[in-house]
Amino acid sequence: MILGILKELSPEKRVSFLPEHINALQNIGFEQIWIEENAGESVFQSDDNYKVAGAQIKTRGEILNSANAIVSIHPPSADLINKGATLITQMNPLGNVDQVNSLASNGISVFSLDMVPRTTKAQAMDVLSSMATSAGYKAILKSAQELPKFFPMFMTAAGTIAPAKVLILGAGVAGLQAISTAKRLGAVVEAFDVRAAAKEEVMSLGAKFVEVEGATDDKSAGGYAVEQTEEYQKKQAELIQEHAAKSDVIICTAQIPGRSAPLLIQENTLNNMRPGSVIIDLAASTGGNCACTKNNETVVVNGVKIIGDSNLASTIPSDSSKMYGKNLINFFKEVIEDGKINFDFENEITLHSCITHEGKIVSPRVINKITPQ
Ligand code: NAD
């Protein structure tokens, strides 16, 4: 089987595999490993580095036309991929139903790594967690750079400087990483989440948990958050408004898989915030947690800078690619048998992450999204 690694299109800076991953791919059973020319440019890996590691340099056309398994972080257009190939990517199928249909009708088998179930067994393949780790970390660094104040408390001969106050909305993987990074920089941190389980995790990192009574926690949602009642949303908005007014930085990470991100910061909340404050909205691509967020843009409202960026993992391309490649190797170890992809739908990792195969949609969550039960 020939594995083809595509170069990501600008502005993406990551690449699915680094030269250090090539040996493991050979051991998994790929006969040839092709990589698109200059694919490692943004992670400072030359074509020669990939060649020395055992890969062959090819054009994009050669890979799309002839590789059996094609990897890319963002999916290429379905009509460019050879029929019968398997694409392994991260395509948010619950939010991109048209693209799913187009891949199915073009006869492409697709695995989407963001659909690998969040089970203990699959932890080593979890690209969502890896990329959220990068994003949560970078969100704090970016906010610290933008904030016209220090993060830590300083006691100087020129007086005492109070520490920055940081509010984290959504304490999943990105939120927890943002908490620990902000704490390391010396900020006072508060966090908020609808999942009861998040409280302990937030407190164990030394942050204060902001609690709204009456959240809906759905055990069947696989550890994810679910939509909340209107009454809860009202109480939540009031409390967030109160805490936002005292915050210098807000990091928004709250998301619900397959749905728009919950709106947590209303426009009037921005009027109560101090000018110079910074909001980084990691949920921007699904609508954002702030009413004024614009995806991939920075806007200023009442002096508050709102940065909408759901792809901060791309701004730490070397280590994000290192984690992505390792996750992907662990995924291949699960689904490749005797040098071939084993479409064994008795295996729950294969079932849930396989989006299309033989012209049909496979993943139960995607089927459910297209034809709700
Ligand atoms: P996510 O990106 O889907 O959402 C981020 C956070 O936003 C979540 O903590 C969610 O509860 C929160 N949120 C959603 N709606 C909200 C609202 N209205 N107000 C406030 N917060 C809201 O989440 P994630 O980081 O991908 O993690 C989701 C879950 O998966 C967590 O329970 C996490 O612990 C779990 N997880 C499990 C594994 C594993 O076992 N392999 C790995 C990673 C994460």
Side-chain angles (χ1 to χ4, degrees), residues 118-119 123 126 129 172-173 192-193 195 223 225 236 253-255 262:
R118 306 302 273 285
T119 58
Q123 237 164 7
D126 189 353
S129 289
V173 182
F192 170 75
D193 201 298
R195 288 180 302 107
Q236 182 186 41
T253 78
Q255 303 217 55

